[in-house]
Amino acid sequence: MELKKDSNAVSIDMLLIVHSEKLRAAQGTHSDRQADPGALLQRRGGLQGVGNGIRKWQKIEANDLPGHLAEKQHPQQTQVITSYDNQGTQLTVEVHPRDAMPQLFKKFSLAKRLQGDKNGNTRPRQPGGKDAHAYPWDRSSLKSMPLDLRQFEKLDIHASQVMVKSGLDELVSDLVQEANSDLERVRAIWIWICHHIEYDIVAAQEKDRQAFKITDILQTQKTNCDGYAGLFEKMCRIAGVQCMTVPGYSKGFGYQIGQSFSGEFDHAWNAVFLEGRWHLVDSTWGSGLVDKSTSKFTFLYNEFYFLTHPALFIEDHFPDNKNWQLLKPPQSLRQFENSMYHKSEFYNKGMLSAYPETSMIRTVNGKATVTIESCAPTLFMFMLNGKQEHGLLSLRENGMKLEVYPPSTGTHKLQIFAKGNSDIYSSVLEYTLKCNYVDFGAQLPSELHQPVGPSWFSEKMGIIKPSHPDPIIHTTDGRCSISFGVDEGISVLASLHGDDGPITEETQRRYIFQLHQEKRTELKVQLPHAGKFALKIFVKKRQEVGNYIFVFNYLLCCTNTKVNWPMFPESFGNWGHDNELLEPLSGVLPANRNIPFKLKLPGIAKALVKGQDTWPLTLNNEGYWEGSCSTAGCQEVYVMVLENANHNFYSYILKYKVNAQ
């Protein structure tokens, strides 16, 4: 018997009564066949999601009934066989002993269902207004019901450690030992499946997918999405919880932005009835992910797909029956295809919204802008065509702003990553950029990293109250001075980077001179030529060994083609944290000239300048060491200090070059 899917169908109660041979003879209803439940099952083949385009007909073993078939058997008692599909169509058969008088079922209205599972639980109604959640998402919760995940800590540990012993019934019994409610029973089943069943990529890629038998899934601990959903439904029914398998389209492995959906459904998930309301789960996606590059499955538990809020679930799950969206109003397939796809990590990492709200962006005057709002300060990064280039990403207290300048016309792939509370950046958004114009004047240095400009993160790392809060600094003469407060015990390091010109790895710090005054650090910057430069800021705790940590960078811009500043003098390790250089600031001195020197060198016993000869510096009343030296006959000039008056060893702290004559 085939039950056809119809959106206007209603549940019809059918009662098949089998009388004794004597009674049938008296009524003239002779038959040479008895109503044998086993024969009935073999003829029907096992009803599994009729018409859903996913699950197939399969032969049913006596000890392996599928999730959509529940049976009650007692010796010499009425046997009830109930079958139903996920659209609500239901067929119930009573088989009575020969001498028993049949009793009619209690009648229900057409809006209700008959007895549903093997434990005798009443099968609830189809989803309706009571189940619907408002669309779009109201930001209240990622879940469709109030949950405190801490309440599941012990249960989750127990469920993840349960092993298969003999069969499914014993497995479910072991899982729900620690469960005290339907919610906890569902949770235990969910955790076990997500931690023990591996996604079978080979089976999933077969064009003619066969339904998985429960015994095979338990033995191999592998299956495809149909098997995940069928197993979850079967286990819930054994545990006495109503559950349905929902087929539909999905934005999962292999999904391409903007693609349309048609033909056979490509995924299956579940709806579970808890506390008088339907809720959605996807144990396939909760168990792990498939690496696109290797096509290998990795167990990686994803809490997001357990009782997901329907307004979020619809972003990557479109059911065959709109009622299973559990939304008001429901979304059309076209809306599903065109809507922005926020990956589960978008919400797991605390994101709330993103703009633009479409996955396809067209640049305006060569630029595309993306903003993200998050519920807490979050670190972000981006990639354009696989590289961290051609964009300005600035952090905000609750989110970020990204301006992207594609280097060429055409189509570009933009990926955005977020860090959240973990140490790993995860992909949260993907856009396709359409660029028909390139603004060559907006080209950015390749060494400009993310983020750009000071933020909550730089403050967290010990850099506070910056003189320049904006990420971009414009200078007309090629010079600028940037200052900021520094927390106690923090050392700061800066470097300048450009795409062309004299800046090399050896000289990238020579165009910056660092000064310290009380609790503030000043960076004096001189640009070697016009253009755009990345000024990178690093920090490190002085008492800790290891490398400096990148915090942020500024974008320095200068359009004055006459700019040609030399490097600052080279400083050595003995250049003290509180030292200050007033003059000369240029690292290259003219030949055959007397050059004045003025420095603040706290705690120094003596100071001198050494060229062809040696010239001592004297300490004035303001605490500065002053003096002059001649550059005649020398190629280099050094500033040297004596730290201890009882010693005769002088240390080099600064080095200048002298122009050739």
Side-chain angles (χ1 to χ4, degrees):
M1 175 179 181
E2 182 177 352
L3 304 177
K4 295 184 179 180
K5 181 174 63 175
D6 185 347
S7 59
N8 297 318
V10 296
S11 176
I12 301 177
D13 301 347
M14 298 179 62
L15 178 63
L16 177 64
I17 302 177
V18 183
H19 297 278
S20 66
E21 294 180 1
K22 181 177 181 180
L23 183 58
R24 288 202 307 274
Q27 295 177 339
T29 56
H30 293 285
S31 173
D32 27 332
R33 294 168 65 184
Q34 282 189 319
D36 179 10
L40 177 65
L41 287 177
Q42 291 178 0
R43 291 196 298 273
R44 290 182 58 248
L47 185 63
Q48 300 194 2
V50 175
N52 63 18
I54 290 186
R55 306 181 74 178
K56 312 294 183 182
W57 292 78
Q58 75 179 85
K59 184 177 179 180
I60 305 300
E61 297 177 0
N63 59 350
D64 186 25
L65 297 181
H68 283 272
L69 193 63
E71 180 178 0
K72 254 190 172 181
Q73 291 185 338
H74 300 286
Q76 301 303 318
Q77 295 182 11
T78 299
Q79 298 178 16
V80 179
I81 303 173
T82 303
S83 173
Y84 38 82
D85 75 350
N86 60 11
Q87 302 303 310
T89 309
Q90 178 174 308
L91 174 66
T92 302
V93 177
E94 276 191 12
V95 181
H96 294 265
R98 290 173 179 262
D99 299 327
M101 291 297 295
Q103 298 293 325
L104 293 178
F105 282 98
K106 177 182 178 182
K107 292 186 177 180
F108 291 86
S109 69
L110 292 181
K112 293 185 178 181
R113 294 178 159 209
L114 298 178
Q115 205 164 336
D117 63 26
K118 63 181 286 183
N119 294 317
N121 295 316
T122 300
R123 186 170 183 79
R125 51 173 172 66
Q126 281 280 295
K130 184 178 179 181
D131 304 283
H133 295 254
Y135 183 88
W137 183 45
D138 60 6
R139 301 186 177 187
S140 59
S141 172
L142 300 183
K143 303 295 186 182
S144 54
M145 64 188 299
L147 286 184
D148 181 357
L149 295 180
R150 292 173 296 183
Q151 76 182 85
F152 298 131
E153 288 178 355
K154 292 183 179 179
L155 181 65
D156 288 356
I157 294 174
H158 163 75
S160 64
Q161 295 175 347
V162 172
M163 304 301 292
V164 179
K165 296 176 182 177
S166 59
L168 193 62
D169 289 280
E170 184 178 3
L171 172 61
V172 174
S173 177
D174 291 343
L175 283 172
V176 301
Q177 280 184 359
E178 305 294 327
N180 298 312
S181 65
D182 281 354
L183 172 61
E184 292 187 352
R185 281 183 275 275
V186 169
R187 178 70 179 191
I189 293 168
W190 156 269
I191 288 293
W192 187 88
I193 291 178
C194 289
H195 287 81
H196 289 83
I197 303 303
E198 179 179 346
Y199 188 72
D200 192 333
I201 301 172
V202 175
Q205 293 175 342
E206 293 177 356
K207 292 184 179 180
D208 186 19
R209 300 200 306 270
Q210 298 298 318
F212 280 71
K213 295 200 312 187
I214 300 299
T215 52
D216 293 340
I217 297 176
L218 295 183
Q219 182 178 0
T220 63
Q221 297 205 339
K222 280 186 176 185
T223 188
N224 60 7
C225 59
D226 306 333
Y228 273 99
L231 178 62
F232 188 89
E233 178 181 340
K234 179 67 174 178
M235 294 176 74
C236 283
R237 292 190 183 282
I238 293 174
V241 180
Q242 296 294 338
C243 182
M244 300 284 277
T245 293
V246 181
Y249 296 122
S250 68
K251 296 180 180 179
F253 179 71
Y255 167 72
Q256 299 294 324
I257 292 176
Q259 80 174 60
S260 59
F261 294 88
S262 62
E264 184 174 328
F265 298 120
D266 62 6
H267 194 42
W269 54 93
N270 295 100
V272 63
F273 196 78
L274 296 171
E275 299 182 9
R277 200 175 190 184
W278 285 107
H279 303 269
L280 302 171
V281 298
D282 187 340
S283 56
T284 307
W285 291 7
S287 63
L289 48 82
V290 176
D291 189 312
K292 291 183 179 180
S293 60
T294 63
S295 293
K296 291 185 178 179
F297 174 80
T298 301
F299 278 107
L300 186 64
Y301 176 71
N302 193 343
E303 173 63 37
F304 179 77
Y305 291 106
F306 179 72
L307 308 185
T308 315
H309 194 292
L312 304 181
F313 203 76
I314 190 61
E315 291 197 16
D316 46 20
H317 292 73
F318 188 83
D320 66 333
N321 183 333
K322 67 179 181 180
N323 292 336
W324 286 116
Q325 294 181 24
L326 307 184
L327 289 177
K328 185 179 182 179
Q331 301 297 289
S332 68
L333 180 59
R334 179 63 60 87
Q335 288 174 306
F336 174 74
E337 292 172 342
N338 296 335
S339 66
M340 183 65 202
Y341 172 38
H342 303 99
K343 299 183 179 182
S344 62
E345 285 300 282
F346 181 88
Y347 298 106
N348 286 337
K349 299 287 187 181
M351 309 299 105
L352 296 173
S353 64
Y355 183 85
E357 296 178 340
T358 57
S359 55
M360 188 79 69
I361 306 176
R362 295 189 180 276
T363 60
V364 177
N365 296 325
K367 181 178 78 171
T369 302
V370 176
T371 58
I372 292 180
E373 181 184 359
S374 60
C375 60
T378 304
L379 288 175
F380 294 88
M381 61 171 284
F382 77 93
M383 282 189 176
L384 184 67
N385 302 324
K387 296 182 179 180
Q388 299 182 46
E389 297 179 357
H390 310 294
L392 294 173
L393 189 154
S394 55
L395 298 177
R396 297 176 173 179
E397 192 65 32
N398 290 305
M400 71 88 174
K401 179 182 179 181
L402 171 63
E403 295 178 346
V404 181
Y405 302 86
S408 62
T409 58
T411 302
H412 303 268
K413 181 179 180 180
L414 175 63
Q415 297 170 283
I416 298 176
F417 305 82
K419 197 171 185 180
N421 295 325
S422 68
D423 294 329
I424 301 174
Y425 281 92
S426 301
S427 176
V428 296
L429 277 182
E430 232 177 76
Y431 287 97
T432 297
L433 301 188
K434 296 286 188 179
C435 179
N436 56 11
Y437 168 78
V438 176
D439 184 359
F440 291 101
Q443 288 186 343
L444 303 172
S446 59
E447 287 291 329
L448 187 72
H449 289 175
Q450 311 151 42
V452 181
S455 65
W456 62 267
F457 178 66
S458 55
E459 184 172 337
K460 178 182 177 181
M461 299 300 289
I463 296 178
I464 59 176
K465 298 180 180 178
S467 60
H468 294 68
D470 295 329
I472 303 176
I473 299 175
H474 295 274
T475 170
T476 56
D477 64 355
R479 296 184 298 179
C480 64
S481 177
I482 304 166
S483 64
F484 39 77
V486 180
D487 285 349
E488 189 73 25
I490 297 295
S491 294
V492 177
L493 184 68
S495 59
L496 188 70
H497 303 261
D499 285 340
D500 52 22
I503 297 181
T504 64
E505 186 174 351
E506 291 76 20
T507 63
Q508 61 192 15
R509 289 196 292 270
R510 294 285 303 282
Y511 289 93
I512 307 164
F513 201 82
Q514 193 166 319
L515 303 173
H516 304 277
Q517 297 178 351
E518 296 181 353
K519 292 185 178 181
R520 289 190 71 81
T521 291
E522 181 182 5
L523 302 177
K524 292 183 178 293
V525 182
Q526 296 181 166
L527 301 181
H529 54 80
K532 295 180 179 179
F533 299 85
L535 177 63
K536 296 184 179 182
I537 311 295
F538 304 82
V539 301
K540 184 176 80 73
K541 292 183 179 180
R542 293 187 199 136
Q543 303 301 324
E544 293 183 0
V545 296
N547 299 324
Y548 281 81
I549 300 172
F550 171 75
V551 179
F552 72 98
N553 42 207
Y554 283 105
L555 175 63
L556 307 185
C557 303
C558 178
T559 58
N560 187 352
T561 57
K562 296 181 179 180
V563 166
N564 184 24
W565 290 105
M567 293 181 291
F568 288 103
E570 182 179 357
S571 60
F572 296 97
N574 287 336
W575 177 259
H577 182 74
D578 296 321
N579 291 355
E580 181 182 352
L581 174 66
L582 272 67
E583 60 178 344
L585 290 175
S586 174
V588 181
L589 305 178
N592 301 316
R593 294 279 298 275
N594 283 327
I595 307 297
F597 281 77
K598 186 175 182 180
L599 308 90
K600 178 174 282 188
L601 306 169
I604 296 302
K606 293 182 180 181
L608 59 84
V609 179
K610 178 177 175 54
Q612 183 74 10
D613 297 310
T614 300
W615 290 268
L617 301 179
T618 59
L619 185 64
N620 65 20
N621 294 331
E622 297 176 349
Y624 289 94
W625 292 88
E626 291 184 303
S628 63
C629 82
S630 172
T631 58
C634 60
Q635 296 180 338
E636 297 174 338
V637 171
Y638 295 90
V639 177
M640 306 175 67
V641 297
L642 181 67
E643 298 182 13
N644 191 328
N646 297 323
H647 296 166
N648 295 321
F649 179 74
Y650 279 81
S651 302
Y652 294 95
I653 59 171
L654 292 176
K655 175 184 176 181
Y656 295 83
K657 288 188 176 182
V658 179
N659 271 332
Q661 298 183 9

